[in-house]
Amino acid sequence: MTSNSGQAADTERRRPRSLIVSFFGSYARDVGGWIGVADLIALMSGLDVDGPAVRSAVSRLKRRGLLTPERLGGAAGYRLSDEGRRILAEGDQRIFGHRVARVEDGWVLVVFSVPESERRRRHALRSQLTRLGFGTTAAGVWIAPAHLTDQARGALRELGLEPYAELFHASHLDFRELTESVARWWDLPAFQAMYEGFLDEYEPVLERWRRMGGPLGAQERKQAFADHLRTVDAWRRLPYLDPGLPPELLPEPWAGSRAARVFFDLHTLLQPLGLSEVRSVIAFSKFR
């Protein structure tokens, strides 16, 4: 991961489409999987996303097969497709069940040689392995903690590239320290910068909510929804880029550990309030 890719990811996550994906992952399934367009516009207005941007974003997500248009009670809306539910379930596992590897569990190696005639699929495989958090040891040799074996196998099958690849379970033997090798295989300074950027933005948000006392009313509920959705949207790509490397192989202090605590503390604190706001907006629209 490079600094430029980090900036690109930061820009992407602030787009309406990214926020709406985060909304469906964080809330839509808890309210039945369907949301009216008018309600979604009302909710997203609290994040400075206007109606035309919402309509454009959901239209693109429909074209990608993640959302299905559906009218309920005369209201236009969107429901998660089966594919959308599958992708969100996969995301839940990676985001909320993110594993931290142990050195003794070993590594998975993906070794492939894809012919030039299949260069598009070769590029797609490289992109997918990067998205899964794999590092590179040499041209055509990618490595990750062993717990990502199934994801690597799935990526190869999805792209139909099994004939050009081999999977290995490996242990590091010699000739250099494993910490030195890991620092070559992954861009650890970029990971640190990525986590530090998250902390700079969201640690103050957590402190603000921890200082908040007294009963929380409608305005605080709206703010909780907006803060929670932004937090999820900022965080959800990070567990994909970082494969969960063994802590003893990482530089100290490792910002990822603190960033994870901040994310989960904010999620625990704000998600129930945000869900209450979503349900309130949906209920109110029934009486308009």
Side-chain angles (χ1 to χ4, degrees):
M1 177 181 174
T2 65
S3 298
N4 287 340
S5 66
Q7 291 168 3
D10 184 71
T11 299
E12 167 62 24
R13 71 175 170 82
R14 295 177 186 276
R15 292 176 181 169
R17 183 171 52 178
S18 179
L19 285 166
I20 290 170
V21 169
S22 295
F23 169 82
F24 274 89
S26 299
Y27 295 109
R29 289 171 294 178
D30 290 325
V31 293
W34 181 91
I35 184 79
V37 173
D39 291 341
L40 185 58
I41 289 172
L43 287 163
M44 299 304 293
S45 66
L47 290 95
D48 300 320
V49 179
D50 62 20
V54 170
R55 293 180 187 277
S56 174
V58 293
S59 179
R60 290 187 177 192
L61 293 171
K62 180 190 74 173
R63 290 197 297 271
R64 287 178 56 192
L66 303 182
L67 300 179
T68 301
E70 182 178 327
R71 298 187 73 88
L72 286 181
Y78 286 86
R79 182 178 296 281
L80 280 166
S81 67
D82 291 342
E83 177 67 4
R85 287 184 177 275
R86 184 193 68 78
I87 289 172
L88 291 180
E90 177 189 290
D92 288 345
Q93 182 178 3
R94 192 67 184 254
I95 295 165
F96 297 104
H98 190 49
R99 291 179 57 179
V100 176
R102 302 181 306 170
V103 172
E104 56 266 34
D105 292 337
W107 308 86
V108 57
L109 294 180
V110 180
V111 181
F112 61 88
S113 179
V114 180
E116 184 64 20
S117 60
E118 299 282 2
R119 59 183 177 276
R120 287 187 178 178
R121 286 199 291 168
R122 181 177 62 203
H123 175 73
L125 177 59
R126 288 170 177 163
S127 297
Q128 182 72 338
L129 291 175
T130 299
R131 178 179 175 271
L132 290 174
F134 275 70
T136 53
T137 67
V141 183
W142 293 63
I143 187 169
H147 66 251
L148 292 177
T149 300
D150 287 343
Q151 287 91 323
R153 184 181 291 114
L156 288 163
R157 285 176 175 165
E158 182 179 342
L159 293 168
L161 292 176
E162 305 103 301
Y164 306 114
E166 299 282 355
L167 289 181
F168 297 90
H169 183 270
S171 298
H172 184 267
L173 300 179
D174 39 30
F175 292 92
R176 57 182 58 85
E177 292 294 326
L178 186 53
T179 50
E180 179 185 341
S181 295
V182 164
R184 289 190 297 109
W185 298 337
W186 283 274
D187 189 347
L188 299 183
F191 285 179
Q192 281 280 47
M194 173 179 77
Y195 286 124
E196 287 167 358
F198 180 87
L199 286 165
D200 288 345
E201 191 164 358
Y202 292 99
E203 208 164 30
V205 175
L206 178 60
E207 292 306 313
R208 171 165 52 81
W209 279 99
R210 282 175 170 168
R211 290 194 304 267
M212 198 175 295
L216 302 179
Q219 193 57 44
E220 289 79 15
R221 203 172 56 220
K222 291 179 186 295
Q223 188 62 54
F225 168 77
D227 284 346
H228 179 251
L229 194 59
R230 289 191 183 103
T231 301
V232 170
D233 199 54
W235 178 262
R236 67 183 174 88
R237 287 178 179 80
L238 308 193
Y240 283 94
L241 298 170
D242 177 355
L245 296 167
E248 61 267 38
L249 303 181
L250 300 171
E252 289 288 347
W254 182 243
S257 303
R258 196 165 102 242
R261 288 194 296 271
V262 168
F263 168 72
F264 283 106
D265 286 351
L266 270 170
H267 175 70
T268 300
L269 185 63
L270 298 183
Q271 198 275 343
L273 290 168
L275 182 57
S276 177
E277 170 64 9
V278 172
R279 286 176 170 154
S280 175
V281 168
I282 291 172
F284 178 74
S285 70
K286 294 178 180 178
F287 298 99
R288 287 202 295 260

